[in-house]
Structure formats: structure tokens, C-alpha cells
Amino acid sequence: MDKGDDILDKTWDILDQWEDKRPPRRLKHSIMKRVRPEKKYYLPFHLSPVYSMLIILVLVIMGVSYLKFDSTKEYNQHVPDTRMASREDSVEITSPDIIAKLEIIENIDMLKVLDQLENIDHLSITPEDDQSSIILVRGSV
Amino acid sequence: MSFDDPDVQLMLKVKEGDDKAFEKIVKKYQKAIYNFAFRLLTNEADAEEITQEVFLRVFKSSLHYEPKAKLNTWLFTIAKNLCLNRIRDNKFSMSFSINNDKMNYEIPDTKLNPITSLESKDLREAIREAIVKLPLTLRVPVILCKYHGMTYAEAGEILGCSENAIKLRIMRSKEILSKFLKDFL
């Protein structure tokens, strides 16, 4: 080891003379005091899957109970209607009433088309009697 | 990082909300962090404040703690960052005041021969002044390796550089310090 290295080593060793300082007694207390307000927001986040599962479960239960309530309400509203309908069914209806209630096609174009169809004269209309006679002839054979 | 490490065990307890575990960590490391900050900043009030801030940050981060690095290394990394920020802020505020208020601040005379200025002071004070005179890139590795028993690799991890870079910085620091402390050797 040469002289230069020896000086460097001595320098390094002499640095030990600057000893550690004792931290103030209040330091730990101050740290804990500063940490305390943070604890208010401290939630064990490693349990977050459990929290989320619980939230989902509660939401599902609420949803199911709401749907159940809704369907019951709907059923209760429909019950009087059906009763009324059954009462109406029991009323005697005459054929003129039925005819009067039938929906009449009032489409003018439709009526025009029907008229045109009636007035077509160049179509050969085979009389029903001829058809029946043919069938009869075949049957006899 | 091994889960058997006592520091890891303590941190996992802190993560679960164990106050006592956090108190144990504070008790174990407060002196080291305080002295690290004091040696870097040479101001007791600042060192105290930085120490508080380091542990507060550790507590806040404990929620997401994963045992990846040694607690020791993690604490010193936070402390180093906070100290460097403080030094930067102090320099900025000082230059800002000088430029704006035209006030006379006592700025250390860099031209003054350090050896002659140290002659009349005792060894401890001389060492303190010599270390403070080192540039930050050398000062931090010296403090970590000399006063906190860190290996070059650990210091490199804290400073974000290689083991060899730390080795070279320590060598350079020794050379500079030997000049500053020539009278005491």
C-alpha cells in the first residue's frame, strides 16, 4: 500500500469522528401525531374484493326485491281489468252488434281496385259447374 | 424480498393497520433517517421535518406496500429525494430573495482556502464542513456508505446508479476530503 492510499484510508477513518446526533425526544411523538389524521382515511384496502362482493350482493338483493315488488304491483293492477273483461264477455251480444263493431275497410284505393277487378272482362272465368263435371267424368272412368 | 425479513413482517402489519408495528419502524429507523437528513442539510429543524415527512410517506404508501425492496433502502431513497428537493428549494428561495429584494445575504466564500479556514476549528467541525463542501453527487454516497454502513450496491440502488459509479465517487470524495482535512491527518 503506497502513501497516497494510506492517506485516503486515514481520511475515511477520520470521518467517524462526526458522530451520530441524537434525534429530539419529541420526534417519534410528532411522527405519530402526524400519522393519526391519516388513519381516518385508512381503510384496509386489501379487503377491497370483500367490500366489492358485499356491495354487489346488496345491489342484487335490492334489485331482486324491487323487481318482485314491481311484478306484484303489476299483477294487482291487472286483476280488476280481467274481472271486468270476464263480466263483459258474459253479456249477450247480438249479430247486428258484432257486424256494427267489425272494422270496415275504408281505404278508397282498395275499393277502386276491387271495382276494377270486377269490371275486367277479358279474363276467362271457368264456370264451377264445368269443373265439377270434369271431376264427375273422371270419377265415372 | 423474503417474507421472513422482520422489516417486511412489520410493514405487512402496518398495511393491515397495526399502529404498534408502525411505531416499531419509527423507533428503529428514526435516528438513521434524522442523521442522514442532518448530515445532508446541516440543519436540525430541517432534518426533523424531513424525518417526519419520510415516515408519513411510508405510512401513506403502506396501503400499497409490496415487499420488493429492503425497507432500509426504501426509507433512504425517500429521505434522499426529500433532502435534495429541500436543498433545491432553499437555493431557489435564496437566489429569488437576492434578486428581488436586493438584500445582503452572507454567501459562503468559495475562494477562501478551506484548509486555512479549518485550522482553528476542532476536528468534528472540520469534518462537517469538509463533507458539506463536497458536491451533492459525492456527498450523498459518502454519507450513505460511511455513516449508514451501506454497500456500494445499496447506495447505487438509492441513487439510481451502478455499484462502480459509487465506488468511483467514494474514491473521488476521499481525495477531496484528504485535501480539506490535511491538517488533521
Side-chain angles (χ1 to χ4, degrees), chain A:
Chain A
M1 190 185 281
D2 64 3
K3 204 184 168 189
D5 284 341
D6 190 42
I7 288 170
L8 294 183
D9 286 343
K10 269 186 182 174
T11 308
W12 194 245
D13 291 340
I14 213 173
L15 296 181
D16 285 332
Q17 295 296 316
W18 189 10
E19 290 160 344
D20 273 353
K21 211 173 164 64
R22 199 187 169 91
R25 278 173 183 268
R26 62 176 182 277
L27 185 60
K28 197 180 98 183
H29 179 71
S30 310
I31 293 164
M32 297 311 287
K33 205 175 163 184
R34 277 187 76 178
V35 161
R36 217 161 288 141
E38 295 296 326
K39 272 200 75 83
K40 270 198 287 187
Y41 310 105
Y42 190 98
L43 276 168
F45 279 98
H46 63 283
L47 291 175
S48 53
V50 180
Y51 296 149
S52 51
M53 281 303 293
L54 278 172
I55 290 166
I56 290 166
L57 198 70
V58 168
L59 286 173
V60 166
I61 290 166
M62 280 172 72
V64 166
S65 58
Y66 176 76
L67 285 172
K68 222 173 178 179
F69 172 75
D70 209 38
S71 60
T72 318
K73 203 174 152 187
E74 206 172 301
Y75 173 75
N76 289 337
Q77 280 174 348
H78 277 85
V79 168
D81 291 347
T82 49
R83 278 177 195 161
M84 276 178 76
S86 62
R87 266 183 225 153
E88 276 172 16
D89 289 343
S90 65
V91 175
E92 205 171 299
I93 301 165
T94 56
S95 56
D97 288 335
I98 296 165
I99 293 161
K101 282 179 182 176
L102 278 173
E103 277 185 30
I104 298 161
I105 301 164
E106 287 183 351
N107 192 332
I108 296 160
D109 293 335
M110 180 69 176
L111 290 169
K112 275 181 186 172
V113 170
L114 283 171
D115 281 340
Q116 281 174 352
L117 283 170
E118 273 180 15
N119 296 327
I120 292 169
D121 51 356
H122 61 269
L123 278 173
S124 59
I125 300 164
T126 315
E128 279 187 20
D129 293 341
D130 292 351
Q131 287 284 337
S132 58
S133 66
I134 293 164
I135 292 162
L136 276 170
V137 169
R138 282 180 184 168
S140 64
V141 171

Side-chain angles (χ1 to χ4, degrees), chain B residues 37-95:
Chain B
F38 178 71
R39 285 192 174 106
L40 257 177
L41 304 167
T42 61
N43 180 301
E44 285 175 25
D46 280 348
E48 198 179 329
E49 207 179 307
I50 294 289
T51 311
Q52 285 183 27
E53 191 60 36
V54 168
F55 286 104
L56 192 66
R57 287 190 184 207
V58 167
F59 183 81
K60 282 181 183 173
S61 312
S62 66
L63 297 172
H64 312 286
Y65 174 75
E66 294 293 335
K68 285 175 188 167
K70 274 176 81 178
L71 178 65
N72 193 24
T73 317
W74 185 33
L75 285 168
F76 278 101
T77 307
I78 301 170
K80 181 260 303 177
N81 290 337
L82 289 172
C83 286
L84 295 185
N85 285 347
R86 180 60 59 94
I87 290 166
R88 208 172 297 136
D89 290 348
N90 287 348
K91 271 183 186 170
F92 174 75
S93 62
M94 197 173 171
S95 62

Side-chain angles (χ1 to χ4, degrees), chain B residues 72-73 76 144-155 158:
Chain B
N72 193 24
T73 317
F76 278 101
L144 286 172
C145 295
K146 181 67 200 171
Y147 297 105
H148 298 283
M150 297 249 176
T151 60
Y152 294 151
E154 285 170 334
I158 292 165

